[in-house]
């Protein structure tokens, strides 16, 4: 459960930066199999955090755009009746 709390506390930029570091370490090699697997698992967790944050941002953007379109449509409808 602590991992879920930690993930929730990570912002997109922080998770992305840590993911970049994980990838750099994996690409550099020189780690044991056990350490490589741990890095891979951490990378997967960080990628999920990034994906969730981006999906959340996209949902907020879509909602904002929909509200703006609805307001414009309502304005046009009321303007057309007068």
């Amino acid at each position: 459960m602590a991992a879920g709390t930690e993930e929730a506390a990570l912002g997109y930029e922080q998770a992305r930066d840590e993911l970049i570091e994980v990838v750099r370490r994996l690409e550099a090699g020189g780690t044991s199999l056990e350490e490589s697997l741990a890095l891979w698992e951490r990378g997967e967790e960080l990628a999920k955090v990034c994906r969730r944050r981006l999906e959340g941002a996209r949902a907020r953007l879509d909602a904002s755009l929909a509200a703006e379109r609805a307001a414009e449509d309502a304005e046009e409808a009321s303007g057309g009746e007068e």
Side-chain angles (χ1 to χ4, degrees):
M1 194 61 114
T5 304
E6 180 185 344
E7 285 179 16
L10 283 176
Y12 171 78
E13 291 83 3
Q14 187 178 4
R16 181 204 59 213
D17 291 347
E18 188 177 341
L19 179 57
I20 289 169
E21 179 61 21
V22 165
V23 170
R24 186 196 64 73
R25 288 181 62 194
L26 285 169
E27 287 179 341
T31 57
S32 68
L33 178 58
E34 188 172 321
E35 185 178 1
S36 293
L37 288 173
L39 286 168
W40 180 271
E41 290 170 351
R42 181 63 179 159
E44 288 289 329
E45 292 171 9
L46 292 165
K48 286 178 189 175
V49 170
C50 290
R51 190 175 319 113
R52 283 189 206 115
R53 294 287 185 178
L54 289 173
E55 288 170 353
R58 180 50 142 175
R60 289 191 308 273
L61 179 60
D62 289 344
S64 177
L65 291 172
E68 185 177 322
R69 279 192 295 268
E72 288 173 356
D73 291 346
E75 187 176 312
E76 287 177 12
S78 67
E81 293 176 5
E82 293 180 357

